[in-house]
């Protein structure tokens, strides 16, 4: 497949929320493609629907109408269980608040997605070690999240996201809770994942420094793209 | 696997909360176990009673006696192997606190009808020879530190005066369920004394104890005996020993009902306590469950995590409660031996304790689990930060 082909095709997506009787439109008629290997930043004011859009692409929320086709799979037609299986093999998640499981060590957190695969214990260990090595945290693998700094926790989260070797990484304000230095470490890492491993990255951010790293920046305003 | 590890670690994340919930559960199990054991103790007499023993008493009420002259007639009734008789003496040893059952009995026949009271042959002979002798159950003798040869004085309540007896024998029960707290002395001794002091009360017995040849026909034998004394000044009521004891128990049937209701209430309360803990726990972890779902874990995985955590708490509580029930029951047994000569924890109580742990664990975590499974991932993730 050539590099310019689209990995994500979003067509006429609508999404609204209901607050009691009130209908709150969040996304209206969103249509765009994301090319394989692209590093896309989505920016926009708070409440403009960035997270909602990202969640739809990642298959953790449902759209009202339209379609989202990822690698030839129309995820809007999948059942809840099919979607869970699809996520576990195709998408890596990076959140603003790292979202590690506090009772598990760095190693176990990264191991978590692999338990849903058929890999042997030995194979899992190899994958986890490779992922932790990639984020430079091999020496800290037996630490619990509470024993790690914010930047280190986010790197563990990145290792957890890439351990299943997904085609797409989604990141919702990955640097939103980090200081300058840690933020730039995390962004360097994402750069490398994009260039070296050819991961397609979709990142929501408020931070212009973060957005600078992306190849494409899209601005969302009141549920519509302004550029 | 990883879920099991998370269940165990999650269970002890809030040590104080988990500890208190486990403790509350243990106390509920303790209460439940003791209440059940009390009910069991109540019925123990019935269980240990023999189907081939009948008891004949005054048809009007237990407090009215029967003439001694019935003895010969009953003895010759069809199907009767042996007859004994006795009176409830109601004597007090030093103080009313020291309550125990004491009877004046016809010794040879009475001991013959109770083979489960095991008395060494030499002690039995010594008892039969001495009219002022008495035999005591092993637990009773231990309770007051009596040895063979000791003289024990009972203060009469029904029959006034101080009565001296000499301990001639100590009997043991054949099984755990045999009452070892009774006190027996010669009916002759009682009768001869009151013949002088209260002649009107002499030659009267409180009850006849009857051995029947075939327990399947005990109802016929009982009917025949009662028929013999119909229209006499003292009509009789004959029933099996079990029915006789049940008569006592049924007076307390209401209390037993209350105890049963209380046991159920205890379980409902502990269910509420555990459910509350699980609701708090699950609410705190909604974000984590959302993360797991994001990674591809399903509702079943989340349910296992939540139900498993509740089961860890309830089973720990149950095991602790069971461990506490034994010493507590031993304490009760010592303190209440006069009222509950038999006070043993039944095996079924332990199975109930474990069953409650399972049932409460599931019931308490069901709703929190459903809520955690139902919540949309996007909403769950919003709860973080
Ligand atoms: N579950 C929900 N119920 C009701 N309204 C919701 C729900 N989730 C999101 N919204 C609303 O949808 C709109 C878009 O939310 P979204 O989280 O996508 O915004 P965002 O662009 O990510 O904002 P921020 O930059 O603050 O994260 C907001 O107005 C929000 O209040
Ligand atoms: Mg957002």
């Amino acid at each position: 497949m050539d590099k310019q082909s689209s990995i994500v095709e979003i067509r006429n997506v609508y999404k609204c929320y209901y607050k009691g009787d009130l209908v709150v439109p969040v996304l209206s008629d969103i249509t765009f493609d994301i090319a394989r290997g692209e590093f896309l930043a989505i920016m926009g004011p708070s409440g403009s629907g960035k997270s909602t859009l990202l969640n739809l692409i990642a298959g953790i929320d449902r759209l009202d109408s339209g379609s989202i086709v990822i690698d030839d799979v129309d995820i809007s037609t999948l059942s809840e269980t099919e979607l869970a299986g699809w996520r576990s093999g195709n998408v890596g998640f990076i959140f603003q608040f790292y979202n590690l499981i506090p009772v598990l060590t760095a190693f176990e957190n990264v191991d978590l997605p692999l338990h849903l695969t058929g890999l042997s214990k030995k194979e899992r260990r190899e994958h986890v070690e490779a992922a932790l090595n990639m984020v430079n945290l091999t020496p800290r693998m037996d630490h619990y999240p509470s024993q790690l700094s914010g930047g280190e926790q986010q790197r563990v989260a990145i290792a957890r996201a890439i351990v299943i070797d997904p085609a797409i990484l989604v990141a919702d304000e990955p640097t939103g809770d980090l200081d300058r230095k840690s933020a730039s470490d995390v962004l360097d890492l994402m750069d490398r994942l994009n260039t070296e491993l050819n991961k397609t990255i979709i990142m929501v951010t408020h931070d212009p420094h973060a957005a600078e790293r992306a190849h494409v920046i899209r601005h969302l305003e009141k549920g519509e793209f302004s550029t | 696997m990883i879920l099991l590890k998370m269940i165990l670690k999650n269970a002890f994340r809030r040590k104080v909360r988990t500890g208190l919930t486990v403790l509350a559960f243990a106390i509920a199990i303790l209460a439940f176990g003791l209440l059940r054991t009390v009910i069991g103790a109540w019925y123990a007499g019935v269980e240990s009673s023999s189907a081939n023993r009948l008891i004949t008493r005054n048809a009007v009420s237990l407090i009215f006696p029967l003439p001694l002259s019935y003895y010969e007639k009953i003895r010759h009734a069809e199907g009767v192997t042996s007859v004994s008789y006795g009176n409830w003496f109601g004597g007090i040893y030093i103080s009313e606190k020291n309550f125990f059952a004491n009877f004046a009995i016809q010794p040879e026949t009475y001991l013959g009808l109770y083979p489960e009271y095991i008395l060494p042959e030499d002690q039995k002979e010594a008892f039969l020879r001495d009219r002022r002798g008495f035999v005591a159950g092993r637990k009773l003798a231990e309770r007051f530190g009596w040895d063979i040869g000791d003289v024990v004085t009972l203060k009469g309540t029904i029959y006034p005066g101080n009565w001296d007896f000499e301990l001639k024998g100590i009997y043991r029960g054949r099984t755990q369920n045999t009452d070892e707290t009774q006190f027996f002395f010669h009916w002759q001794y009682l009768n001869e004394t009151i013949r002088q002091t209260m002649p009107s009360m002499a030659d009267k017995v409180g009850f006849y104890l009857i051995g029947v040849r075939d327990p399947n026909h005990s109802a016929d034998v009982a009917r025949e005996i009662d028929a013999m004394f119909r229209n006499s000044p003292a009509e009789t009521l004959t029933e099996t020993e079990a029915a006789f004891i049940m008569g006592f128990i049924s007076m307390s049937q209401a209390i037993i009902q209350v105890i049963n209701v209380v046991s159920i209430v205890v379980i409902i309360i502990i269910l509420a306590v555990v459910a509350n803990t699980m609701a708090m726990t699950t609410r705190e972890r909604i974000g984590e469950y959302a993360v797991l779902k994001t990674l591809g874990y399903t509702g079943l995985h989340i349910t296992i995590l939540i139900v498993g955590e509740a089961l860890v708490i309830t089973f720990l509580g149950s095991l602790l409660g069971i461990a506490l029930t034994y010493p507590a029951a031993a304490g009760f047994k010592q303190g209440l031996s006069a009222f509950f000569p038999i006070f043993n924890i039944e095996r079924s109580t332990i199975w109930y304790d474990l069953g409650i742990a399972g049932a409460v664990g599931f019931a308490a975590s069901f709703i929190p689990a459903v809520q955690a499974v139902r919540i949309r991932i996007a909403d769950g993730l919003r709860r973080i930060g």
Side-chain angles (χ1 to χ4, degrees):
Chain A
M1 216 173 259
D2 73 299
K3 205 171 165 173
Q4 283 312 305
S5 74
S6 306
I7 186 167
V8 180
E9 294 168 13
I10 298 168
R11 295 288 175 271
N12 311 101
V13 166
Y14 286 82
K15 172 78 180 171
C16 58
Y17 286 113
Y18 299 89
K19 277 178 186 148
D21 287 343
L22 208 68
V23 183
V24 184
V26 179
L27 298 175
S28 36
D29 202 13
I30 300 281
T31 297
F32 72 110
D33 286 3
I34 301 170
R36 190 175 299 277
E38 186 168 303
F39 188 162
L40 167 70
I42 300 173
M43 299 189 75
S46 185
S48 55
K50 306 182 296 293
S51 297
T52 304
L53 178 59
L54 195 70
N55 290 344
L56 290 176
I57 298 170
I60 56 177
D61 206 350
R62 292 284 186 176
L63 44 71
D64 293 341
S65 70
S67 72
I68 297 178
V69 177
I70 297 177
D71 251 347
D72 298 329
V73 178
D74 186 349
I75 61 167
S76 47
T77 63
L78 297 182
S79 75
E80 222 37 71
T81 328
E82 287 167 340
L83 207 50
W86 176 81
R87 281 196 305 270
S88 70
N90 294 284
V91 195
F93 294 86
I94 304 163
F95 306 95
Q96 179 177 359
F97 299 106
Y98 335 128
N99 287 1
L100 300 176
I101 302 297
V103 292
L104 300 179
T105 62
F107 183 96
E108 291 164 338
N109 265 286
V110 177
D111 195 17
L112 212 42
L114 296 181
H115 278 277
L116 298 172
T117 66
L119 296 179
S120 72
K121 195 170 177 181
K122 184 165 159 287
E123 290 167 321
R124 292 205 322 262
R125 170 160 278 276
E126 284 165 10
H127 281 81
V128 173
E129 281 171 355
L132 282 168
N133 191 38
M134 179 89 200
V135 301
N136 243 326
L137 277 175
T138 310
R140 314 295 302 267
M141 67 181 189
D142 291 326
H143 287 64
Y144 286 94
S146 59
Q147 300 167 320
L148 299 172
S149 74
E152 287 165 340
Q153 289 187 56
Q154 193 60 300
R155 276 148 59 202
V156 174
I158 292 172
R160 182 177 66 186
I162 60 174
V163 76
I164 53 163
D165 195 24
I168 303 174
L169 285 178
V170 298
D172 197 344
E173 300 186 35
T175 58
D177 209 45
L178 296 177
D179 61 61
R180 253 273 176 62
K181 170 76 174 65
S182 307
S184 106
D185 287 349
V186 163
L187 291 167
D188 288 346
L189 199 51
M190 292 176 67
D191 248 348
R192 279 181 59 208
L193 296 175
N194 179 243
T195 52
E196 290 175 24
L197 302 180
N198 200 31
K199 302 285 177 213
T200 306
I201 299 181
I202 308 160
M203 174 175 71
V204 164
T205 188
H206 282 294
D207 176 5
H209 293 286
E212 259 174 30
R213 308 289 190 109
H215 312 152
V216 183
I217 302 178
R218 286 182 180 271
H219 290 272
L220 202 58
E221 207 132 348
K222 291 189 186 143
E224 292 173 54
F225 284 121
S226 51
T227 51
Chain B
M1 87 158 198
I2 195 82
L3 287 183
L4 187 64
K5 183 163 192 177
M6 286 174 73
I7 287 169
L8 292 174
K9 291 211 169 178
N10 278 341
F12 296 103
R13 243 155 107 176
R14 301 274 183 158
K15 293 200 174 56
V16 175
R17 184 162 74 199
T18 301
L20 288 175
T21 309
V22 166
L23 191 67
F25 200 89
I27 291 168
I29 286 291
L30 174 65
F32 176 82
L34 288 177
L35 291 174
R36 258 186 71 83
T37 306
V38 165
I39 294 176
W42 230 301
Y43 285 105
V46 180
E47 275 153 27
S48 67
S49 67
S50 158
N52 50 15
R53 287 194 291 254
L54 297 176
I55 290 177
T56 300
R57 58 169 170 103
N58 191 301
V60 179
S61 162
L62 198 55
I63 59 171
F64 294 111
L66 295 168
L68 181 61
S69 57
Y70 287 8
Y71 176 73
E72 284 299 324
K73 287 189 191 153
I74 295 174
R75 217 158 66 91
H76 290 105
E78 179 69 32
V80 171
T81 56
S82 165
V83 180
S84 186
Y85 50 85
N87 282 49
W88 171 258
F89 181 66
I92 292 168
Y93 177 58
I94 304 174
S95 131
E96 282 183 29
K97 284 205 308 284
N98 297 332
F99 174 86
F100 53 83
N102 44 83
F103 294 95
I105 51 151
Q106 205 296 314
E108 290 93 344
T109 49
Y110 198 89
L111 291 175
L113 281 165
Y114 277 101
E116 61 261 50
Y117 298 163
I118 295 167
L119 192 59
E121 204 51 41
D122 55 327
Q123 294 185 11
K124 183 174 173 183
E125 274 164 26
F127 171 54
L128 295 179
R129 265 199 309 275
D130 185 346
R131 288 201 162 178
R132 285 182 42 192
F134 77 100
V135 292
R138 182 183 60 88
K139 284 185 193 154
L140 182 65
E142 270 171 17
R143 180 173 166 206
F144 297 114
W146 296 336
D147 282 320
I148 304 288
D150 284 0
V151 172
V152 171
T153 305
L154 297 188
K155 188 149 71 71
T157 52
I158 305 165
Y159 311 96
N162 283 329
W163 301 66
D164 289 340
F165 305 98
E166 188 180 330
L167 183 58
K168 293 294 183 184
I170 296 173
Y171 75 84
R172 311 184 144 266
R174 179 175 290 159
T175 69
Q176 245 202 339
N177 277 357
T178 309
D179 185 352
E180 293 181 331
T181 66
Q182 301 179 90
F183 181 115
F184 299 111
F185 64 93
H186 289 255
W187 186 85
Q188 277 299 334
Y189 177 41
L190 173 70
N191 198 47
E192 276 163 21
T193 313
I194 59 176
R195 187 171 284 156
Q196 271 135 47
T197 54
M198 304 181 290
S200 67
M201 287 174 81
D203 293 329
K204 301 250 160 63
V205 304
F207 58 89
Y208 286 98
L209 183 71
I210 298 151
V212 294
R213 190 169 296 119
D214 179 0
N216 293 324
H217 291 123
S218 36
D220 300 333
V221 176
R223 218 173 299 123
E224 199 199 327
I225 292 171
D226 290 341
M228 289 195 288
F229 306 110
R230 186 146 310 135
N231 300 324
S232 73
E235 295 197 350
T236 59
L237 174 64
T238 304
E239 51 199 355
T240 61
E241 186 183 22
F244 179 74
I245 296 170
M246 277 305 270
F248 277 112
I249 295 171
S250 62
M251 293 191 246
S252 6
Q253 205 61 259
I255 297 175
I256 292 178
Q257 285 301 328
V258 169
I259 293 179
N260 271 326
V261 169
V262 170
S263 329
I264 292 165
V265 168
V266 165
I267 292 166
I268 292 171
I269 291 172
I270 197 61
L271 172 62
V273 169
V274 178
N276 181 52
T277 297
M278 288 318 297
M280 286 200 287
T281 301
T282 311
R283 203 174 312 126
E284 279 172 12
R285 304 205 182 128
I286 280 296
E288 282 167 41
Y289 300 137
V291 171
L292 288 172
K293 283 200 254 181
T294 303
L295 297 179
Y297 283 81
T298 61
L300 180 63
H301 292 120
I302 307 297
T303 305
I304 291 172
L305 278 180
I306 296 171
V307 173
E309 188 174 343
L311 290 175
V312 167
I313 290 174
T314 55
F315 274 96
L316 273 183
S318 185
L319 292 177
L320 181 62
I322 291 168
L324 292 175
T325 306
Y326 281 94
F332 261 65
K333 193 172 186 166
Q334 212 155 39
L336 298 175
S337 66
F339 305 99
F340 297 122
I342 294 131
F343 198 81
N344 300 320
I345 300 166
E346 286 165 33
R347 170 123 353 122
S348 65
T349 301
I350 304 303
W351 289 120
Y352 270 106
D353 287 344
L354 296 174
I356 290 168
V360 170
F362 274 102
S365 54
F366 179 72
I367 291 172
V370 167
Q371 285 173 340
V373 168
R374 279 224 191 121
I375 192 164
R376 292 169 53 251
I377 298 176
D379 291 337
L381 289 173
R382 272 170 187 276
R383 305 268 189 99
I384 300 171

